[in-house]
């Protein structure tokens, strides 16, 4: 049987398109793997079981700590401690990426990587002895000292990343059980601090309330839309992991107020949010909403949650489309954060422009040279995309 030239041309084009896609997948997989494994090898401390943003021997010393803590001061380089400013944020993001990859391909090596990252992330809420406090990092030389100041962002990624790890089915049973215990301690700590007297600020590990930077507010009128879903996220995560009705009740007390505040982003212009919502804040809002949506799937709130997620992804897409890579929008890993914020929207329509943007993000810099934060975020963005493609 002879086929018309038109059909032959279509078949050839389709073949080369699929081949190119497979080639791109291979390239991006290898680049992302090389990135995270470089830092897992070179920046890992067996003392704290954490991966840092610098080699362990360069991590902030405990020599200036008082009662196991040092204080952040404005204007000092590495004010949170060299190598340990964003431990929960980076490691939590990587855990989510590993969970997405596990959904695509069940490899034994993924479990080893995930367990390694989970172990260190759990230590951020236990090694220092301040019950319920999620630290940014741990001093390597004594294995327990921390910066007294954390943030709403660090708590968000600690809860979300470990929840993704626990819910993925790949998590080590003992670590998942430890997460449940520590998560309740975190929820109890946050609950105890959410009072008008504290201005709904959970404060520092040294008892300072409000915190010295104003980044630990978790409820009330001062919150911006991207911050509002973080408190209900913590409460409902504690409920889903333990089944304790107390946490569902706490969630019910705050969710509608927080969701209404989150939806306030609909009425803000891009200019209004540009200076107050860096790229990472769009992504973090999606982390909180993703966890909330996992619980609220059969309620009247679901359309509102999905609407909020669609709005954050729309803002991320708008920012990505207009971005100048030579002078990009502010973020820790701006392109990875924008991709993640887009893809975490359940209704997001991915297209060829996004594929090009993802490939450019992977190709923009050697991921084994661009830093631990970038390696983790681009890895997570890539495997979020691969999971989406696999579902189709």
């Amino acid at each position: 049987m002879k086929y018309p030239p038109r059909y032959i041309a279509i078949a050839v084009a389709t073949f080369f398109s699929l081949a190119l896609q497979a080639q791109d997948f291979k390239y991006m997989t290898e680049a992302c793997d090389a990135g995270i494994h470089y830092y897992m090898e070179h920046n890992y401390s067996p003392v704290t079981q954490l991966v840092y943003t610098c080699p362990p021997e360069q991590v902030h010393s405990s020599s200036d700590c008082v009662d196991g803590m040092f204080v952040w001061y404005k204007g000092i380089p590495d004010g949170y401690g060299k190598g340990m400013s964003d431990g929960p944020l980076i490691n939590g993001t990587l855990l989510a990426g590993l969970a997405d990859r596990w959904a695509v391909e069940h490899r034994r090596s993924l479990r080893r990587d995930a367990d390694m990252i989970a172990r260190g992330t759990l230590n951020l809420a236990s090694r220092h002895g301040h019950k319920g406090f999620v630290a940014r990092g741990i001093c390597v030389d004594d294995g327990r000292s921390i910066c007294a100041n954390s943030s709403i962002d660090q708590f968000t990624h600690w809860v979300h990343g470990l929840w993704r790890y626990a819910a993925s089915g790949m998590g080590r049973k003992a670590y998942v059980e430890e997460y449940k215990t520590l998560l309740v301690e975190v929820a109890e700590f946050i609950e105890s601090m959410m009072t008008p007297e504290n201005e709904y600020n959970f404060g520092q590990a040294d008892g300072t309330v409000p915190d010295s930077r104003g980044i630990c507010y978790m409820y009330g009128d001062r919150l911006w839309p991207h911050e509002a879903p973080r408190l209900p996220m913590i409460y409902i995560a504690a409920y889903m992991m333990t089944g304790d009705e107390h946490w569902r009740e706490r969630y019910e007390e705050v969710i509608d107020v927080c969701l209404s505040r989150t939806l306030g982003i609909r009425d803000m212009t891009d200019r209004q949010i540009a200076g107050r919502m860096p790229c990472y804040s769009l992504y973090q809002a999606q982390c909180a909403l993703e966890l909330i949506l996992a619980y609220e799937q059969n309620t009247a709130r679901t359309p509102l949650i999905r609407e909020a997620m669609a709005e954050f992804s729309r803002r991320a897409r708008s920012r990505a489309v207009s971005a100048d890579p030579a002078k990009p929008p502010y973020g820790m890993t701006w392109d990875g954060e924008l991709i993640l914020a887009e893809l975490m929207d359940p209704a997001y329509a991915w297209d060829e422009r996004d594929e090009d943007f993802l490939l450019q993000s992977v190709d923009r810099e050697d991921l084994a040279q661009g830093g631990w934060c970038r390696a983790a975020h681009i890895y997570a963005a890539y495997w979020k995309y691969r999971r989406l493609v696999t579902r189709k």
Side-chain angles (χ1 to χ4, degrees):
M1 180 178 180
K2 294 184 178 181
Y3 294 96
R6 178 167 62 93
Y7 290 121
I8 296 175
I10 292 173
V12 171
T14 300
F15 172 80
F16 281 110
S17 175
L18 291 173
L20 179 62
Q21 186 179 64
Q23 184 180 29
D24 289 341
F25 282 172
K26 183 176 185 296
Y27 164 71
M28 289 190 283
T29 296
E30 291 176 350
C32 288
D33 281 349
I36 66 162
H37 288 130
Y38 176 85
Y39 294 103
M40 289 170 72
E41 178 182 350
H42 291 84
N43 291 10
Y44 172 78
S45 166
V47 176
T48 63
Q49 298 169 292
L50 275 165
V51 181
Y52 294 87
T53 57
C54 67
E57 62 272 16
Q58 298 177 17
V59 170
H60 186 93
S61 168
S62 64
S63 59
D64 63 347
C65 292
V66 177
D67 295 329
M69 289 172 282
F70 63 92
V71 180
W72 172 88
Y73 290 105
K74 184 176 182 180
I76 297 178
D78 298 316
Y80 294 120
K82 184 173 181 179
M84 50 190 278
S85 60
D86 294 293
L89 185 154
I90 299 171
N91 290 283
T93 290
L94 181 55
L95 279 176
L98 288 163
D100 282 324
R101 186 172 186 176
W102 179 255
V104 176
E105 49 181 38
H106 284 45
R107 290 189 178 187
R108 185 178 301 176
S109 61
L110 295 179
R111 283 193 131 146
R112 291 196 299 268
D113 290 346
D115 288 345
M116 174 182 171
I117 299 300
R119 179 63 269 160
T121 308
L122 289 165
N123 289 347
L124 290 166
S126 60
R127 282 289 190 91
H128 46 69
H130 300 277
K131 194 172 181 179
F133 189 82
V134 177
R136 293 173 171 272
I138 305 170
C139 296
V140 172
D141 59 342
D142 71 354
R144 68 177 187 87
S145 292
I146 62 172
C147 177
N149 205 353
S150 185
S151 73
I152 185 177
D153 299 345
Q154 306 304 321
F155 274 68
T156 296
H157 283 292
W158 187 89
V159 172
H160 178 263
L162 284 166
W163 171 71
R164 289 295 316 280
Y165 168 78
S168 68
M170 70 173 172
R172 183 180 296 189
K173 184 177 180 180
Y175 291 177
V176 172
E177 290 302 312
E178 185 175 351
Y179 173 53
K180 292 179 183 179
T181 299
L182 293 173
L183 176 59
V184 169
E185 291 180 0
V186 168
E188 288 175 343
F189 167 68
I190 293 297
E191 179 186 26
S192 72
M193 300 302 291
M194 293 299 103
T195 66
E197 294 75 21
N198 291 334
E199 302 178 46
Y200 304 106
N201 184 295
F202 60 79
Q204 300 179 174
D206 61 4
T208 300
V209 181
D211 71 285
S212 57
R213 289 209 65 189
I215 52 178
C216 297
Y217 292 98
M218 204 167 262
Y219 191 65
D221 294 339
R222 70 174 66 237
L223 294 190
W224 276 59
H226 66 284
E227 300 165 321
R230 317 293 183 93
L231 178 60
M233 174 201 72
I234 291 175
Y235 287 159
I236 207 59
Y239 171 71
M240 287 194 292
M241 291 304 300
T242 67
D244 186 340
E245 284 292 324
H246 173 80
W247 300 115
R248 188 184 65 80
E249 292 167 4
R250 295 290 80 75
Y251 168 83
E252 290 291 341
E253 290 172 359
V254 300
I255 181 58
D256 291 323
V257 171
C258 292
L259 187 53
S260 175
R261 197 160 196 84
T262 300
L263 286 166
I265 192 175
R266 295 176 299 190
D267 304 318
M268 294 180 174
T269 65
D270 286 345
R271 171 173 281 187
Q272 285 176 311
I273 72 171
R276 288 298 300 268
M277 295 189 198
C279 298
Y280 55 76
S281 68
L282 303 178
Y283 164 45
Q284 288 162 4
Q286 298 288 55
C287 289
L289 290 166
E290 179 182 65
L291 206 157
I292 292 170
L293 184 62
Y295 168 72
E296 289 282 8
Q297 291 179 7
N298 296 310
T299 75
R301 296 185 186 116
T302 301
L304 299 178
I305 298 167
R306 288 178 173 270
E307 183 179 354
M309 296 183 82
E311 187 63 23
F312 281 107
S313 71
R314 183 181 76 79
R315 301 300 180 123
R317 182 183 180 92
S318 174
R319 205 171 286 187
V321 168
S322 60
D324 176 5
K327 192 177 179 181
Y330 179 65
M332 296 181 63
T333 301
W334 67 277
D335 42 5
E337 291 155 355
L338 293 179
I339 294 168
L340 285 164
E342 293 175 27
L343 292 184
M344 292 177 79
D345 170 16
Y348 186 77
W350 187 263
D351 60 27
E352 290 182 1
R353 185 209 65 85
D354 297 293
E355 292 179 351
D356 290 341
F357 187 76
L358 174 61
L359 183 56
Q360 290 165 13
S361 298
V362 174
D363 201 35
R364 188 162 283 124
E365 187 174 9
D366 183 347
L367 294 177
Q369 300 297 319
W372 177 226
C373 184
R374 181 166 187 80
H377 281 74
I378 297 300
Y379 182 100
Y382 170 60
W383 284 105
K384 177 70 70 179
Y385 164 69
R386 284 292 303 273
R387 185 173 185 178
L388 177 68
V389 171
T390 302
R391 286 175 180 168
K392 291 183 177 181

